[in-house]
Amino acid sequence: MDRMIRTLWKQWDSDSPKEKKIVIGVIAGSYLSYRAGKLLHHYYKKYENNQKIRRKQEECRESKEKLEEFLMEKKISREAVQRIVSLPFNDLQTELQSGKITAVEVLHAYQIKALEVDKLTNCITEVIWEAEEIALSRDLNANKKGPLHGIPISLKESYMIPGYDCTAGLAFYLDKPAEQENVLVQVLKQAGAVPFVRTNIPQGMMTYECSNPIHGITGNPHDPNRIPGGSSGGEAALIAGGGSILGFGSDIGGSLRIPAHMCGCCSLKPTVGRLSDKGQNDFGTGQTLVNATPGPMAAEVDTLVSCMKCLLVPKMFHLDPAVSPVLFRNEIYEEKRKLNIGFYVDDGSLKSNPACQRAVLEVKAMLESQGHTLIPFEPVDISKMTELFIKATFADGGKSFVDILSTDQVDPTISNTIMAFKMPKWLYKMVVMVGRLLTKDHMMTVFGNSFLGVKSITEYWDLALEIEEYKTEFLKKWRDNKLDAMICPGFAYTAIPHGTVQYLTSGVTYTILYNLLNYPAGTLKVTNVKQQDIDNFKDYPSNTYTEKLVKENCKDSVGLPVGVQFVGLPYQEELVLRLMKDVETSLKMGKP
């Protein structure tokens, strides 16, 4: 169009007939009006989205203040709150079932505690006002108690609840309240649970820094100046801070496991298709080569187990026929046979830091003391795996991100990524090449080139075949080693300061591997960073810019939690939970 206009302008000379001048003038004027109108519309949409964000922020702030005032009027003693929120899940469940405490009492205690944790971390996006009515109904119908009777649950903001915006941190979804209710929420409510708060996420949910322009930045409960992980960062911060006993997030690249590792709780990423994903925010669901899956988060493994038992029921299979109708298999969870378990502390990409290595080796020792056989394992070609994962999840070269953010505020935590997506490809490739030379990190090239996505449908099909070939090769190596399960670092490093995630992306290889493979994986907090781990950084490599950043950002991390991943083959969630429970029991008993 621009070329056509330039050509028409050249024809505008004194020899042109009057009629020709009029036609050219009309066309040029129409085009300029169109461009001006489009520009005005663009800026109006930006203004409109900014206004929507302000209104939402005010609405959420007032909602929290209103709840706080409501609870203060109840004059609930500090001792009563502390007693309830200190109860382990099984004890809380027992007291609710027996009627020793009521659903309303438990709800109020957790609301008070959640608001306290929120003031420290900014983990809650908004309160669910229907919680009071639901809890009251549980108490009024005490003769019909489900297994989760009166248990308050928190939900990642991406879970749809009728009447509430489900934004994923994007202004595009503001003022579009959900009409349907998330399938898992329906099943949980039937089991007696009480949804009471929604928690924060990153903008677009494709990074592990938990921040967005609508709800702000979430801090880690152990150190608010550090990240809680993401994208289910608000959930992990709330649970680790004691403000929720059971929460729900989702995972496409580590979004359940990274926050559990960094905040010090536990989580389970199920096999895709084991739990229903109906009723989630739909951003990014167009690609189907690597799918997100919902999953639970909690302070204890028993909570995860009870939750999975309540979800894997005919009700869920009826609401979502696409889910495999496999009930929770107690025979696998309670099995006592000795297992062959693979382990590694370095996946061949970025070496995990000393604390993460020690955590794996301590779990290895625990499992060996229980009679299991631990076998060293080297993951298959992590560079290739990373390329396949990123090409699949960003197959469009980031176009969907750029489009949906065109009139939105771009959060600083993803600004570099969005800028890269907008670059001309020739310039982007040059930046990647220069970055590779400056950082001396070969993964810079792998990550960088993979973000270009695919060029055609044929290339997308080829990518699908390559992913299947990788899965086949990995499974063959797993079978050749006669493995039943795997343990590995929860991440390459512990929680890092805000603002550093854009420069430290390589650590995600420890989690995205099991999304590409679609293997169930759980994370359990097993230790805390010790001074000896900081001292052991003297033996940690400093060859690349990334390795130097890991050292720099972990130097003041003493006391931060450290998790370990437990992995099984597809649909072996019960086996993963069994191993997590065995290790958790050893930790509680003080066994080395």
Side-chain angles (χ1 to χ4, degrees):
M1 179 63 81
D2 289 331
R3 185 178 296 175
M4 183 185 77
I5 295 299
R6 286 196 295 271
T7 303
L8 291 172
W9 273 112
K10 286 179 182 177
Q11 295 175 16
W12 189 281
D13 54 51
S14 57
D15 297 329
S16 298
K18 185 177 180 180
E19 293 81 1
K20 194 171 185 180
K21 287 184 178 181
I22 293 171
V23 171
I24 294 172
V26 169
I27 293 173
S30 299
Y31 175 68
L32 291 173
S33 297
Y34 165 76
R35 292 294 293 268
K38 197 170 182 181
L39 191 63
L40 285 170
H41 176 73
H42 173 80
Y43 281 106
Y44 174 73
K45 287 298 293 181
K46 283 185 78 74
Y47 169 78
E48 186 180 50
N49 282 336
N50 288 341
Q51 293 300 107
K52 286 181 179 179
I53 289 172
R54 289 192 193 98
R55 286 198 300 271
K56 188 65 179 180
Q57 289 171 339
E58 185 65 18
E59 176 189 321
C60 293
R61 183 185 63 78
E62 289 178 354
S63 179
K64 292 177 189 178
E65 289 177 354
K66 187 178 175 182
L67 176 61
E68 192 166 24
E69 290 172 5
F70 170 79
L71 293 167
M72 285 179 68
E73 290 174 0
K74 298 290 181 181
K75 297 181 180 178
I76 303 166
S77 72
R78 185 70 203 165
E79 293 74 18
V81 171
Q82 193 57 36
R83 180 189 176 278
I84 289 173
V85 299
S86 298
L87 288 172
F89 178 82
N90 287 340
D91 292 348
L92 178 65
Q93 193 177 35
T94 299
E95 292 201 9
L96 280 164
Q97 293 288 335
S98 68
K100 184 176 181 179
I101 51 176
T102 67
V104 170
E105 287 172 334
V106 173
L107 171 65
H108 290 168
Y110 270 98
Q111 284 175 327
I112 290 170
K113 185 63 178 178
L115 289 173
E116 286 180 8
V117 178
D118 180 63
K119 287 178 181 178
L120 175 70
T121 63
N122 187 44
C123 57
I124 297 173
T125 58
E126 56 191 329
V127 300
I128 299 173
W129 280 102
E130 292 79 3
E132 185 79 12
E133 183 182 343
I134 295 171
L136 279 167
S137 70
R138 299 285 182 261
D139 292 333
L140 291 172
N141 295 284
N143 58 327
K144 297 179 181 178
K145 292 182 177 179
L148 294 180
H149 172 81
I151 299 290
I153 60 171
S154 49
L155 303 170
K156 187 176 183 177
E157 197 261 9
S158 57
Y159 279 60
M160 289 186 179
I161 303 174
Y164 291 81
D165 291 334
C166 183
T167 69
L170 299 162
F172 174 82
Y173 293 101
L174 284 173
D175 295 344
K176 298 175 182 176
E179 296 180 359
Q180 63 172 311
E181 186 167 46
N182 180 278
V183 166
L184 297 189
V185 175
Q186 292 181 56
V187 178
L188 290 163
K189 285 168 71 174
Q190 179 182 266
V194 181
F196 78 113
V197 288
R198 307 177 74 209
T199 55
N200 207 17
I201 67 305
Q203 189 173 32
M205 300 190 297
M206 287 301 286
T207 178
Y208 65 97
E209 168 95 72
C210 193
S211 177
N212 66 79
I214 303 172
H215 301 293
I217 191 164
T218 298
N220 191 303
H222 301 279
D223 180 355
N225 295 315
R226 292 177 181 267
I227 66 169
S231 61
S232 307
E235 273 303 314
L238 182 63
I239 292 167
S244 176
I245 197 164
L246 173 60
F248 293 84
S250 57
D251 192 314
I252 193 173
S255 296
L256 283 160
R257 292 160 289 152
I258 299 170
H261 161 76
M262 291 187 171
C263 288
C265 56
C266 57
S267 66
L268 176 68
K269 178 202 80 69
T271 311
V272 172
R274 189 80 198 264
L275 294 180
S276 173
D277 64 352
K278 299 297 181 187
Q280 297 275 353
N281 179 281
D282 62 2
F283 178 68
T285 55
Q287 72 82 17
T288 56
L289 295 181
V290 180
N291 291 316
T293 178
M297 308 181 80
E300 298 178 310
V301 178
D302 280 341
T303 318
L304 299 181
V305 174
S306 294
C307 166
M308 291 298 286
K309 288 180 178 179
C310 292
L311 287 172
L312 298 173
V313 294
K315 171 78 171 179
M316 185 181 71
F317 308 145
H318 170 73
L319 291 173
D320 186 0
V323 172
S324 299
V326 181
L327 298 170
F328 189 89
R329 295 162 296 180
N330 268 311
E331 66 276 15
I332 296 176
Y333 177 66
E334 296 174 357
E335 190 177 30
K336 301 300 180 184
R337 73 182 175 93
K338 304 308 177 184
L339 305 173
N340 290 332
I341 303 168
F343 76 95
Y344 59 92
V345 296
D346 183 352
D347 69 357
S349 168
L350 175 65
K351 191 172 186 178
S352 62
N353 75 8
C356 297
Q357 293 180 45
R358 176 176 61 80
V360 172
L361 296 177
E362 287 183 359
V363 170
K364 170 183 175 287
M366 288 180 203
L367 293 170
E368 285 176 330
S369 72
Q370 295 170 12
H372 302 295
T373 301
L374 275 291
I375 301 165
F377 188 85
E378 184 178 331
V380 176
D381 196 348
I382 289 297
S383 293
K384 181 64 176 177
M385 180 279 299
T386 305
E387 176 190 346
L388 295 174
F389 176 87
I390 296 175
K391 276 191 173 181
T393 51
F394 292 99
D396 65 350
K399 186 178 183 303
S400 56
F401 246 117
V402 172
D403 288 349
I404 204 165
L405 289 170
S406 62
T407 58
D408 200 348
Q409 296 177 23
V410 177
D411 196 84
T413 58
I414 61 168
S415 58
N416 287 355
T417 304
I418 301 304
M419 181 175 64
F421 285 149
K422 290 180 176 179
M423 281 184 188
K425 282 186 169 53
W426 65 268
L427 178 59
Y428 179 77
K429 289 178 180 178
M430 188 177 294
V431 169
V432 171
M433 183 176 67
V434 172
R436 166 73 173 88
L437 293 172
L438 292 175
T439 63
K440 300 178 182 178
D441 188 349
H442 78 282
M443 291 302 289
M444 174 78 179
T445 306
V446 175
F447 275 87
N449 291 338
S450 302
F451 275 115
L452 291 169
V454 297
K455 300 172 185 175
S456 65
I457 295 297
T458 302
E459 193 172 322
Y460 191 74
W461 288 346
D462 290 341
L463 176 63
L465 289 173
E466 286 185 81
I467 290 173
E468 289 307 310
E469 288 169 1
Y470 183 87
K471 288 180 177 180
T472 300
E473 186 179 355
F474 194 97
L475 179 60
K476 182 180 184 302
K477 188 166 186 177
W478 182 293
R479 296 292 196 200
D480 288 346
N481 282 275
K482 297 181 173 58
L483 299 183
D484 298 297
M486 182 86 70
I487 60 169
C488 64
F491 203 61
Y493 34 85
T494 49
I496 54 178
H498 293 297
T500 55
V501 168
Q502 292 194 95
Y503 311 101
L504 272 174
T505 55
S506 298
V508 298
T509 56
Y510 285 88
T511 53
I512 63 176
L513 170 62
Y514 298 110
N515 294 95
L516 187 80
L517 294 169
N518 192 24
Y519 287 11
T523 293
L524 174 70
K525 183 244 175 178
V526 299
T527 187
N528 297 82
V529 180
K530 299 178 181 179
Q531 185 57 48
Q532 72 182 68
D533 300 315
I534 307 302
D535 296 340
N536 286 337
F537 263 116
K538 67 181 184 299
D539 301 319
Y540 190 82
S542 300
N543 302 316
T544 68
Y545 177 67
T546 303
E547 290 167 343
K548 291 173 183 175
L549 275 181
V550 170
K551 277 188 171 182
E552 175 65 24
N553 289 296
C554 292
K555 65 182 181 183
D556 298 319
S557 59
V558 172
L560 292 180
V562 188
V564 167
Q565 279 192 92
F566 298 76
V567 185
L569 289 174
Y571 292 93
Q572 290 295 309
E573 285 77 10
E574 294 88 348
L575 179 63
V576 170
L577 289 168
R578 171 202 162 181
L579 284 176
M580 292 172 68
K581 178 60 180 175
D582 287 348
V583 170
E584 183 186 60
T585 301
S586 290
L587 289 167
K588 287 181 177 179
M589 293 175 66
K591 290 184 178 180

